[in-house]
Amino acid sequence: MPAKDLFEYAVLRVVPRVEREEFLNVGVVVYCRAQGFLQARFALPEARLRAFSAELDLDELAARLYAFERICQGRATGGPIGQLAIAERFRWLTATRSTVVQTSPVHPGLCTNAAETLAHLHAQLVE
């Protein structure tokens, strides 16, 4: 039986009106220290988002979510946060914030393949 590694994940949520605390799950970010893995996956279901909030700027929303991807990659394109160590990037991405893009609380689990776990969580929690 393959060894299982600890991973952590948070759901990426769109919160169009922060004061109402209503949200739509649009993505997942997964971190696994043992596998050196940090990746985000998201989808922007335009019809659902428009039904949820007609005022949403989908281009701005996409830009914010792509920033999560760039930070996960850990390159210069991720800005100063993208240059931090992998654990620090995950903690920054999942920090509590009061913006249109928020994350759920962080949840732990065990996995053998973090990329497969990301795909599974995305299918289960977003699609």
Side-chain angles (χ1 to χ4, degrees):
M1 177 181 232
K4 293 194 175 197
D5 297 314
L6 176 68
F7 76 92
E8 297 174 81
Y9 76 95
V11 179
L12 302 175
R13 298 171 168 171
V14 171
V15 186
R17 293 178 54 196
V18 176
E19 66 278 6
R20 290 185 58 125
E21 298 185 12
E22 298 171 334
F23 61 85
L24 182 67
N25 293 346
V26 296
V28 180
V29 58
V30 171
Y31 164 59
C32 180
R33 182 179 62 87
Q35 296 178 25
F37 185 90
L38 177 61
Q39 192 173 4
R41 179 180 292 179
F42 67 90
L44 288 173
E46 188 172 336
R48 287 181 67 199
L49 288 164
R50 288 278 178 231
F52 193 52
S53 174
E55 297 87 34
L56 270 176
D57 181 339
L58 295 183
D59 292 333
E60 174 68 20
L61 179 59
R64 290 178 186 225
L65 290 165
Y66 280 119
F68 271 72
E69 284 187 344
R70 288 191 307 276
I71 290 167
C72 285
Q73 293 169 354
R75 299 186 186 124
T77 57
I81 305 303
Q83 302 306 300
L84 297 173
I86 191 169
E88 291 173 299
R89 293 195 316 266
F90 179 72
R91 298 291 170 237
W92 189 90
L93 289 169
T94 58
T96 302
R97 52 182 53 91
S98 185
T99 64
V100 172
V101 176
Q102 297 181 15
T103 57
S104 72
V106 174
H107 305 282
L110 296 172
C111 71
T112 54
N113 183 310
E116 288 176 5
T117 299
L118 173 63
H120 171 75
L121 288 169
H122 188 268
Q124 181 182 37
L125 301 171
V126 177
E127 294 175 359

